[in-house]
Amino acid sequence: MTDTLELRSASRAERRDRLFEHLDDADPESSTTAVTDADPVETATLLDRYRIERGRRVDWEADRIDAETREIRITTGEAFDADEWPAFDVRDLPPQRRHEELTGTFDALEAGEGFVLVNDHDPKPLYHELRSTRGETIEWEYLSEGAGEWRVRIGKTGDGDGAVDDAADTTFDVREIPKAERHPTIHHRYGTLLEGATMELVAPHEPRPLHREFRQQYGESFTWAVVEEEPGRCRVRITKEDEANGDASGGATAEPSAPPEGSLSVTEKLDVRELPPARRHEAIFEAYEGLAPGEAFVLVNDHDPEPLYHQFDAEAGPAFRWEYRRQEPGAFEVLIGRAETDDRDGTPL
């Protein structure tokens, strides 16, 4: 016998409560058909979080009923073994949603519990965020690292001793981040913030070089405020404003500028913003593999793809070229090419 669970016209919090309560009461190997008008990725995320928070196996399949309604067939199972942690695959989640879901999942854990994060790039910024706000309570172990699939075992070792500032959506204590990772981490996380969200930085002094970088890349589309300053400690709040404010150069051009004569020939413009996050790296690497020496394509992405640069830099060899053409919230354009010579200096232009 299959139970039916009505989830249409409910808020996300209501859907979560109804779903969790129903599955808590379900017998092992029983079936439930959830009828919902929510995005299927959101429903899958709720079920992933159920597996992690309740430590119980659930499997599911989705069928479209009409343009707005889906039936999710859910089968419940037994509890996970004590040493087996469920996977949480966030590759289909929009980048703006990932940190919120992952920090919320971490906070719901009891000491000794955890999950295996599956992501499409190195999630090191999440580690720095959790380390800054939850202190020494995080266990972090890389299980696999590679193009399109990174697996990290994330566990909770005890109650948090970090300070979570309710006035900020995310916090980084840059004093705890290796110097080479500081700016890439901050830019990556800023790129995933929604308009109106605030990032707080804790630094030994005001990070003026970072402020200049923000002016160069984001123009007037952010505010920067020093909220506390004392010897050895400075707190800065960065708020992401309306993207319509443009960049420092007065706005973006409609097309990337052509490369100088005699350099790389652009073959296509690859806009990955409409692709699921899990497909983006694959499409980009396929485009690169299709280049002949002396050719390039222009990548269009919704956030700074700098983590991708480091992956190319490590794997693509000395002919790899990378040049930013446009840097705005929601619209980054990068020329990615395969040079005929290997005279590069090892850094992005």
Side-chain angles (χ1 to χ4, degrees):
M1 179 178 177
T2 300
D3 294 332
T4 299
L5 178 62
E6 178 60 65
L7 299 176
R8 285 176 289 190
S9 302
S11 67
R12 187 176 192 276
E14 291 171 337
R15 284 194 295 272
R16 180 195 183 282
D17 290 345
R18 291 182 197 173
L19 182 62
F20 279 37
E21 289 173 5
H22 183 90
L23 294 178
D24 284 345
D25 293 336
D27 295 326
E29 306 305 324
S30 64
S31 296
T32 298
T33 297
V35 183
T36 179
D37 52 8
D39 183 278
V41 173
E42 178 185 302
T43 305
T45 300
L46 285 177
L47 288 166
D48 273 329
R49 291 191 61 166
Y50 180 85
R51 294 195 304 177
I52 295 165
E53 294 178 27
R54 297 296 197 260
R56 187 180 187 185
R57 302 176 192 278
V58 292
D59 295 306
W60 61 89
E61 295 181 351
D63 283 335
R64 181 188 292 272
I65 303 304
D66 55 39
E68 297 181 352
T69 307
R70 288 173 174 81
E71 286 187 349
I72 314 295
R73 297 189 304 278
I74 307 167
T75 303
T76 56
E78 301 287 350
F80 285 97
D81 295 337
D83 59 349
E84 183 181 6
W85 287 357
F88 191 2
D89 191 335
V90 301
R91 289 176 293 180
D92 285 335
L93 269 178
Q96 292 84 354
R97 288 274 312 282
R98 295 184 190 181
H99 281 241
E100 175 188 356
E101 292 291 347
L102 290 166
T103 54
T105 300
F106 182 84
D107 288 340
L109 297 174
E110 299 292 337
E113 296 179 341
F115 59 94
V116 175
L117 167 62
V118 184
N119 200 23
D120 52 18
H121 63 272
D122 187 351
K124 197 64 173 290
L126 175 69
Y127 169 79
H128 292 308
E129 183 173 356
L130 290 172
R131 182 69 177 78
S132 296
T133 56
R134 278 75 173 175
E136 298 283 354
T137 66
I138 179 173
E139 173 189 342
W140 184 278
E141 179 189 359
Y142 286 99
L143 301 179
S144 64
E145 307 173 46
E149 184 172 301
W150 295 67
R151 289 180 173 265
V152 182
R153 181 179 169 93
I154 300 175
K156 194 173 192 178
T157 61
D159 294 331
D161 57 0
V164 181
D165 188 343
D166 291 337
D169 295 276
T170 184
T171 299
F172 288 97
D173 188 337
V174 302
R175 298 171 299 180
E176 302 294 328
I177 302 176
K179 188 174 182 180
E181 298 177 21
R182 290 177 186 174
H183 288 205
T185 293
I186 293 164
H187 283 292
H188 173 84
R189 185 64 176 99
Y190 178 83
T192 67
L193 292 179
L194 298 174
E195 290 180 9
T198 296
M199 168 189 292
E200 180 165 291
L201 306 180
V202 181
H205 50 75
E206 184 178 357
R208 292 188 177 89
L210 180 68
H211 192 184
R212 289 195 294 270
E213 287 183 14
F214 265 66
R215 287 292 181 205
Q216 292 168 358
Q217 294 194 27
Y218 313 122
E220 301 299 324
S221 63
F222 72 97
T223 59
W224 177 287
V226 177
V227 296
E228 179 185 350
E229 191 166 17
E230 59 185 41
R233 177 182 170 87
C234 178
R235 289 170 56 221
V236 176
R237 287 197 184 131
I238 307 169
T239 301
K240 193 171 190 176
E241 305 292 351
D242 188 346
E243 295 178 3
N245 287 330
D247 64 5
S249 62
T253 57
E255 295 290 338
S257 57
E261 184 176 355
S263 64
L264 300 176
S265 172
V266 176
T267 60
E268 67 170 317
K269 190 171 185 178
L270 178 63
D271 191 334
V272 300
R273 290 175 294 183
E274 297 301 319
L275 288 178
R279 277 278 299 129
R280 295 184 185 183
H281 280 215
E282 179 183 354
I284 293 165
F285 276 94
E286 286 178 356
Y288 183 80
E289 289 301 317
L291 295 176
E295 293 182 341
F297 65 93
V298 173
L299 168 66
V300 185
N301 199 21
D302 51 17
H303 62 275
D304 187 348
E306 185 169 3
L308 184 71
Y309 163 77
H310 295 294
Q311 188 172 342
F312 267 113
D313 189 52
E315 301 176 8
F320 163 61
R321 296 292 186 273
W322 176 285
E323 179 182 346
Y324 285 103
R325 292 298 183 83
R326 177 181 178 186
Q327 295 170 276
E328 296 178 6
F332 281 77
E333 295 189 0
V334 182
L335 181 95
I336 299 176
R338 187 193 298 271
E340 295 178 342
T341 59
D342 58 357
D343 56 354
R344 69 181 179 141
D345 63 6
T347 59
L349 299 175

